[in-house]
PDB file of all heavy atoms in Angstrom:
ATOM      1  N   VAL A 159     132.562  98.635 144.921  1.00  0.00           N
ATOM      2  CA  VAL A 159     133.493  99.775 144.805  1.00  0.00           C
ATOM      3  C   VAL A 159     134.876  99.366 145.287  1.00  0.00           C
ATOM      4  O   VAL A 159     135.895  99.693 144.658  1.00  0.00           O
ATOM      5  CB  VAL A 159     132.956 100.980 145.596  1.00  0.00           C
ATOM      6  CG1 VAL A 159     134.023 102.072 145.694  1.00  0.00           C
ATOM      7  CG2 VAL A 159     131.697 101.531 144.948  1.00  0.00           C
ATOM      8  N   MET A 160     134.919  98.630 146.400  1.00  0.00           N
ATOM      9  CA  MET A 160     136.202  98.152 146.914  1.00  0.00           C
ATOM     10  C   MET A 160     136.850  97.178 145.932  1.00  0.00           C
ATOM     11  O   MET A 160     138.076  97.202 145.729  1.00  0.00           O
ATOM     12  CB  MET A 160     136.004  97.480 148.265  1.00  0.00           C
ATOM     13  CG  MET A 160     137.305  97.024 148.929  1.00  0.00           C
ATOM     14  SD  MET A 160     137.023  96.198 150.511  1.00  0.00           S
ATOM     15  CE  MET A 160     136.244  94.681 149.947  1.00  0.00           C
ATOM     16  N   LEU A 161     136.051  96.335 145.296  1.00  0.00           N
ATOM     17  CA  LEU A 161     136.578  95.368 144.334  1.00  0.00           C
ATOM     18  C   LEU A 161     137.200  96.056 143.123  1.00  0.00           C
ATOM     19  O   LEU A 161     138.176  95.558 142.559  1.00  0.00           O
ATOM     20  CB  LEU A 161     135.463  94.424 143.868  1.00  0.00           C
ATOM     21  CG  LEU A 161     134.931  93.422 144.903  1.00  0.00           C
ATOM     22  CD1 LEU A 161     133.744  92.655 144.335  1.00  0.00           C
ATOM     23  CD2 LEU A 161     136.026  92.459 145.332  1.00  0.00           C
ATOM     24  N   ILE A 162     136.650  97.180 142.733  1.00  0.00           N
ATOM     25  CA  ILE A 162     137.241  97.932 141.621  1.00  0.00           C
ATOM     26  C   ILE A 162     138.654  98.373 141.997  1.00  0.00           C
ATOM     27  O   ILE A 162     139.587  98.288 141.191  1.00  0.00           O
ATOM     28  CB  ILE A 162     136.364  99.141 141.248  1.00  0.00           C
ATOM     29  CG1 ILE A 162     135.030  98.668 140.673  1.00  0.00           C
ATOM     30  CG2 ILE A 162     137.077 100.043 140.231  1.00  0.00           C
ATOM     31  CD1 ILE A 162     134.035  99.792 140.400  1.00  0.00           C
ATOM     32  N   GLY A 163     138.812  98.836 143.231  1.00  0.00           N
ATOM     33  CA  GLY A 163     140.150  99.200 143.701  1.00  0.00           C
ATOM     34  C   GLY A 163     141.072  98.004 143.773  1.00  0.00           C
ATOM     35  O   GLY A 163     142.245  98.080 143.386  1.00  0.00           O
ATOM     36  N   PHE A 164     140.562  96.860 144.251  1.00  0.00           N
ATOM     37  CA  PHE A 164     141.363  95.642 144.316  1.00  0.00           C
ATOM     38  C   PHE A 164     141.796  95.204 142.918  1.00  0.00           C
ATOM     39  O   PHE A 164     142.937  94.762 142.720  1.00  0.00           O
ATOM     40  CB  PHE A 164     140.560  94.520 144.973  1.00  0.00           C
ATOM     41  CG  PHE A 164     140.519  94.589 146.480  1.00  0.00           C
ATOM     42  CD1 PHE A 164     141.112  95.634 147.168  1.00  0.00           C
ATOM     43  CD2 PHE A 164     139.875  93.611 147.215  1.00  0.00           C
ATOM     44  CE1 PHE A 164     141.083  95.707 148.554  1.00  0.00           C
ATOM     45  CE2 PHE A 164     139.836  93.659 148.598  1.00  0.00           C
ATOM     46  CZ  PHE A 164     140.439  94.703 149.268  1.00  0.00           C
ATOM     47  N   SER A 165     140.880  95.292 141.960  1.00  0.00           N
ATOM     48  CA  SER A 165     141.209  94.860 140.599  1.00  0.00           C
ATOM     49  C   SER A 165     142.317  95.723 140.002  1.00  0.00           C
ATOM     50  O   SER A 165     143.138  95.237 139.218  1.00  0.00           O
ATOM     51  CB  SER A 165     139.959  94.921 139.700  1.00  0.00           C
ATOM     52  OG  SER A 165     139.579  96.260 139.434  1.00  0.00           O
ATOM     53  N   SER A 166     142.349  96.991 140.387  1.00  0.00           N
ATOM     54  CA  SER A 166     143.422  97.867 139.905  1.00  0.00           C
ATOM     55  C   SER A 166     144.761  97.463 140.502  1.00  0.00           C
ATOM     56  O   SER A 166     145.781  97.437 139.813  1.00  0.00           O
ATOM     57  CB  SER A 166     143.110  99.325 140.262  1.00  0.00           C
ATOM     58  OG  SER A 166     141.906  99.749 139.670  1.00  0.00           O
ATOM     59  N   MET A 167     144.771  97.118 141.797  1.00  0.00           N
ATOM     60  CA  MET A 167     146.012  96.687 142.440  1.00  0.00           C
ATOM     61  C   MET A 167     146.497  95.347 141.895  1.00  0.00           C
ATOM     62  O   MET A 167     147.695  95.049 141.932  1.00  0.00           O
ATOM     63  CB  MET A 167     145.813  96.606 143.953  1.00  0.00           C
ATOM     64  CG  MET A 167     145.820  97.953 144.640  1.00  0.00           C
ATOM     65  SD  MET A 167     145.809  97.803 146.445  1.00  0.00           S
ATOM     66  CE  MET A 167     144.063  97.613 146.737  1.00  0.00           C
ATOM     67  N   ALA A 168     145.573  94.528 141.384  1.00  0.00           N
ATOM     68  CA  ALA A 168     145.968  93.234 140.826  1.00  0.00           C
ATOM     69  C   ALA A 168     146.874  93.396 139.608  1.00  0.00           C
ATOM     70  O   ALA A 168     147.576  92.463 139.216  1.00  0.00           O
ATOM     71  CB  ALA A 168     144.728  92.421 140.449  1.00  0.00           C
ATOM     72  N   GLY A 169     146.885  94.597 139.014  1.00  0.00           N
ATOM     73  CA  GLY A 169     147.775  94.856 137.894  1.00  0.00           C
ATOM     74  C   GLY A 169     149.238  94.755 138.267  1.00  0.00           C
ATOM     75  O   GLY A 169     150.101  94.575 137.399  1.00  0.00           O
ATOM     76  N   VAL A 170     149.532  94.834 139.562  1.00  0.00           N
ATOM     77  CA  VAL A 170     150.919  94.728 140.031  1.00  0.00           C
ATOM     78  C   VAL A 170     151.509  93.367 139.677  1.00  0.00           C
ATOM     79  O   VAL A 170     152.704  93.251 139.389  1.00  0.00           O
ATOM     80  CB  VAL A 170     150.988  94.958 141.558  1.00  0.00           C
ATOM     81  CG1 VAL A 170     152.380  94.666 142.097  1.00  0.00           C
ATOM     82  CG2 VAL A 170     150.590  96.393 141.884  1.00  0.00           C
ATOM     83  N   ILE A 171     150.677  92.321 139.700  1.00  0.00           N
ATOM     84  CA  ILE A 171     151.167  90.975 139.376  1.00  0.00           C
ATOM     85  C   ILE A 171     150.649  90.502 138.018  1.00  0.00           C
ATOM     86  O   ILE A 171     150.531  89.308 137.759  1.00  0.00           O
ATOM     87  CB  ILE A 171     150.779  89.963 140.469  1.00  0.00           C
ATOM     88  CG1 ILE A 171     149.254  89.869 140.611  1.00  0.00           C
ATOM     89  CG2 ILE A 171     151.431  90.312 141.780  1.00  0.00           C
ATOM     90  CD1 ILE A 171     148.805  88.707 141.464  1.00  0.00           C
ATOM     91  N   GLY A 172     150.314  91.452 137.140  1.00  0.00           N
ATOM     92  CA  GLY A 172     149.869  91.100 135.799  1.00  0.00           C
ATOM     93  C   GLY A 172     148.455  90.582 135.750  1.00  0.00           C
ATOM     94  O   GLY A 172     148.124  89.704 134.949  1.00  0.00           O
ATOM     95  N   GLY A 173     147.591  91.146 136.613  1.00  0.00           N
ATOM     96  CA  GLY A 173     146.219  90.676 136.684  1.00  0.00           C
ATOM     97  C   GLY A 173     145.315  91.168 135.577  1.00  0.00           C
ATOM     98  O   GLY A 173     144.149  90.807 135.531  1.00  0.00           O
TER      99      GLY A 173
END
Side-chain angles (χ1 to χ4, degrees):
V159 170
M160 184 181 69
L161 290 174
I162 293 174
F164 280 3
S165 70
S166 300
M167 283 188 276
V170 172
I171 61 169

